[in-house]
Amino acid sequence: MANPSYYFTLFKKFQVINHVPGGSVHGSASPTGGFDLKNPNSVFGSSNRGSLLGATTNPADSPLWAVLNAKAIGSPNPTIAGTTWPAMPQFATPAWNDFQINALAPKLVDVFASWINAGKVNDIPAGVIASMPPAFAGPDPGVVLFVCSMPGDTGVRPGVPSNFWATSLIFLVDPSTGNTVFPPTLTGGSEYYLAAVIGNRGNTDAGRYINPPAVEAAASVMVWNTVDSPGVQLPSLSNLDVSDKNGIYDEYFLKTGHYDVVGFRMNVQIVYNGIIAALNDALANNPNLLGGLTPDQWVHAQPAHLCAKVVVREQGTSFPNFGDTPDQDRRLAQKNLAPFDINLTATDPTPNINWKNFIVGQPLFLRLPGAGRNTLSLEAKLPPEAFRLYIAIPKQSFERFFREGQGGFKGFKLVPHHELCEGKLGELVKPFPEAVILQCLGKENTLEIPPLAEGQYLGMSLGIEYNVKRLKHGPIGEVTMIHKALLTRLVPGTRCFEIEQATAGGFTLIVRAEDPRLGPKG
C-alpha cells in the first residue's frame, strides 16, 4: 500500500489547523518558537526546543506528533527527552474538527503516525514549488481561479502559448524524494505524484479555511491525444486515506494574487487498467477506433505516453469540460509531452521507424453552421536527410472521413506500407493491422477532419522514420502535432457569436539520439 504524502496530505493540514491562513502564531512573519508553518521544510529542521520529528521512526519520539496526539486524546502536555511541550492546537479550530475530531478513520494524528513509521519520507515537491510565479496584486473582481499553462502565467486569457501542452506547469514527481522526474516511459508498478500549479487572479481570498466556499481541483490522465480521449480520474493527495479513490483535491486557502501546488496520486498500473476499460467503452461507439488492435495493444504498443489535464473550480460550480481548451477556459491546463529516443547502437534495420499512437477528440463548440471543423498539421525541426514523417489512419476511418466524407489532406501523399524503411520490415512496419499511411511532404501540410459527434474519436499514429547512420549523439530536434478547430466565440459586449480558428490542442515529441557506448566525457 502507498504511504501518506507529507507535503500534500499532512503539511497542508498542519497549515490550516489554526495559523497560516490568518497569518498568526506559526504562520506569522516572526513564527512562535521559530516553527514556521509557511515553510514545509520547518518540520525537518528544528525549533529552539529541538527536533520536531524526533530521532527515530517511533511516533512517540516526535514532539510534533506528541503535541497533536495529546490534544486528540485529551492528555496533559507531553514531556519528551526532558522537555515539556504544549498540547496543540490550543483551541478546537474548524480544521482540527474536520481532520481529527469529526473525521472518520483514519484521522490526522493516525496518518501522521503512519508516515513517521514509514520512515518520515520528505516528498516536498521543491522543483514544482520553485516553478510558481511570484505573487501579484489580483486585479479582477472576486475569485478568479486558473491552472498555469506557462511559466509566469497570471491567468490572462486569451494569451496562452500555441504549444500550451508543452509549457503548462504540470509535472510528475517522485514520491520517495519530491524530485520532478521525466520518465521516458511509464511502466506498470511505478507510482508518481501528478502536481500542478494553480493561481487566483481575483482580488478576493478563496478557500474553505479563509473565505468559503472551498477551492477544488481534479486531474485526469488520458490516452495520448490532441484534445480529448478516454481516460481515468486520479485520486487526490488531500485524502487522509491513501486507498481513497476520491478525486477532488481540497485547496484549503488561496489568497488573492497567490499560487499553490495541488497533487494527485498516479499509480501507473491502475491508470493503465482504467484507460483500457475506458477504451473498451469507447469502442462501442467507435468500432474502427484502433485499426484492428485491442485496447491493451494500443496502450502498450510503443509503450504508451499519457496526456494529463488538471481543472480547478470553486465548490458548487462546474469544472471545465476536458474537451475545453486552456485558451477558452483558464481553469484548465494540459500536459502532453513525450521524448523519442533513438539508440545509435541499434543499426538493424536501417532505416527504421517508430510509431506513436494517439487519439483525436473534438473540442467543445456551439453547433452553429460552419463550426467544429478540425485541422491537424505537423511542424518538424529535424534534419530532412535523416528523417521522414508519416501519419497512419485506420482504413475504415480513412474511408469514412477522407474518401466518403468532408475531410481531405494536402502536403501528404498516400504510400503503400512496403515502401517504408526500404521494404525491410514487411507488415511489421505498420502501427496497426488496418492502416492507411500518409507521408508528410513538407512544411505546408494539413489533415482536414469534419466535426466529430459527441463521444466520437479518431485513432491515428505518428511515424518517425530515421536513418541511424546519419545521426550523432545528443539532442536533434522536435516534432509537434497541432490541432486547430473552427470554434464559436461570444463577441464581447454582444449576444452574437463568431466562428474563428483556434489552437485546440496537440503534442510535442522531443527527438534525441543516445549512444550508450559513450562515457560522461564523451
Side-chain angles (χ1 to χ4, degrees):
M1 181 175 291
N3 293 324
S5 166
Y6 162 70
Y7 181 79
F8 292 104
T9 311
L10 296 171
F11 173 72
K12 290 297 182 180
K13 292 175 175 58
F14 295 159
Q15 286 189 312
V16 295
I17 283 177
N18 195 27
H19 306 301
V20 177
S24 61
V25 195
H26 301 301
S28 68
S30 300
T32 301
F35 178 36
D36 185 3
L37 270 177
K38 302 186 301 298
N39 176 8
N41 292 288
S42 60
V43 170
F44 295 92
S46 62
S47 72
N48 59 5
R49 293 193 176 192
S51 172
L52 294 173
L53 290 180
T56 72
T57 56
N58 179 5
D61 184 46
S62 165
L64 183 56
W65 180 86
V67 299
L68 295 172
N69 185 61
K71 182 69 175 182
I73 64 177
S75 70
N77 296 342
T79 299
I80 299 177
T83 300
T84 299
W85 299 76
M88 293 292 289
Q90 290 184 331
F91 306 101
T93 64
W96 177 253
N97 288 335
D98 290 343
F99 302 139
Q100 182 63 40
I101 303 301
N102 300 324
L104 299 175
K107 298 174 182 284
L108 175 61
V109 172
D110 296 330
V111 175
F112 189 17
S114 297
W115 174 76
I116 294 172
N117 281 323
K120 300 182 288 191
V121 174
N122 183 345
D123 62 4
I124 298 170
V128 183
I129 294 171
S131 75
M132 293 194 307
F136 62 102
D140 293 353
V143 174
V144 181
L145 305 174
F146 61 97
V147 188
C148 291
S149 284
M150 58 184 169
D153 195 347
T154 58
V156 175
R157 300 293 186 273
V160 301
S162 58
N163 63 334
F164 52 77
W165 54 84
T167 63
S168 60
L169 301 187
I170 301 175
F171 307 91
L172 289 181
V173 173
D174 184 341
S176 65
T177 63
N179 295 335
T180 303
V181 292
F182 304 90
T185 58
L186 299 173
T187 57
S190 301
E191 182 159 297
Y192 302 94
Y193 294 161
L194 183 78
V197 178
I198 66 171
N200 178 9
R201 182 177 170 79
N203 60 11
T204 303
D205 295 339
R208 183 187 308 274
Y209 296 110
I210 190 170
N211 183 31
V215 171
E216 298 177 332
S220 284
V221 175
M222 305 174 180
V223 181
W224 213 41
N225 65 69
T226 59
V227 174
D228 189 20
S229 70
V232 60
Q233 189 175 34
L234 299 181
S236 165
L237 281 168
S238 64
N239 299 333
L240 277 170
D241 185 349
V242 296
S243 64
D244 192 343
K245 294 183 173 64
N246 169 50
I248 303 300
Y249 183 95
D250 195 345
E251 172 63 27
Y252 301 132
F253 66 99
L254 190 60
K255 293 184 176 181
T256 169
H258 280 66
Y259 298 84
D260 205 357
V261 177
V262 297
F264 305 87
R265 192 179 299 278
M266 195 180 93
N267 179 286
V268 174
Q269 190 60 56
I270 293 174
V271 166
Y272 276 3
N273 293 345
I275 283 178
I276 289 169
L279 275 173
N280 274 312
D281 290 342
L283 282 173
N285 297 322
N286 303 266
N288 305 312
L289 176 63
L290 307 183
L293 295 182
T294 67
D296 184 77
Q297 289 169 332
W298 182 275
V299 170
H300 290 91
Q302 283 82 40
H305 295 282
L306 303 177
C307 168
K309 292 197 176 185
V310 177
V311 292
V312 67
R313 70 178 180 187
E314 280 192 275
Q315 187 182 41
T317 65
S318 298
F319 280 124
N321 293 291
F322 286 112
D324 288 337
T325 67
D327 211 34
Q328 290 178 301
D329 196 325
R330 74 189 91 208
R331 300 173 303 146
L332 168 78
Q334 170 180 330
K335 195 58 172 284
N336 206 355
L337 181 65
F340 171 52
D341 295 320
I342 300 169
N343 187 333
L344 293 181
T345 62
T347 59
D348 185 28
T350 301
N352 203 348
I353 193 167
N354 186 287
W355 293 95
K356 293 293 181 185
N357 293 347
F358 65 96
I359 287 177
V360 175
Q362 177 67 49
L364 295 178
F365 68 103
L366 186 63
R367 290 189 176 272
L368 298 177
R373 190 172 180 83
N374 303 282
T375 300
L376 302 182
S377 60
L378 286 173
E379 292 184 358
K381 299 177 182 177
L382 298 172
E385 70 277 6
F387 291 91
R388 289 181 180 176
L389 300 178
Y390 301 89
I391 294 291
I393 304 168
K395 182 178 179 180
Q396 293 189 33
S397 295
F398 183 82
E399 296 292 330
R400 176 178 183 179
F401 290 108
F402 296 100
R403 289 200 190 278
E404 302 171 359
Q406 301 300 313
F409 56 86
K410 65 179 181 180
F412 290 90
K413 71 172 183 179
L414 281 164
V415 293
H417 72 271
H418 57 74
E419 289 187 5
L420 277 63
C421 299
E422 300 176 358
K424 297 179 179 180
L425 291 175
E427 289 289 322
L428 296 176
V429 77
K430 296 191 293 186
F432 36 80
E434 303 165 8
V436 174
I437 298 174
L438 301 173
Q439 180 182 343
C440 181
L441 301 178
K443 293 183 178 180
E444 301 297 325
N445 62 83
T446 57
L447 290 170
E448 299 284 344
I449 304 170
L452 302 176
E454 184 178 355
Q456 187 177 28
Y457 301 106
L458 177 57
M460 289 186 174
S461 194
L462 169 62
I464 303 178
E465 182 180 306
Y466 59 92
N467 190 325
V468 72
K469 295 179 179 179
R470 296 178 180 177
L471 301 176
K472 295 182 179 180
H473 178 86
I476 297 172
E478 63 186 37
V479 181
T480 297
M481 173 69 77
I482 298 174
H483 183 165
K484 294 185 177 181
L486 293 175
L487 301 178
T488 47
R489 308 283 194 192
L490 180 65
V491 178
T494 75
R495 295 184 179 181
C496 299
F497 290 88
E498 61 182 8
I499 298 174
E500 63 181 24
Q501 190 176 63
T503 299
F507 57 81
T508 300
L509 281 170
I510 304 298
V511 181
R512 60 194 180 208
E514 295 187 355
D515 190 339
R517 298 168 298 188
L518 295 180
K521 296 183 179 180

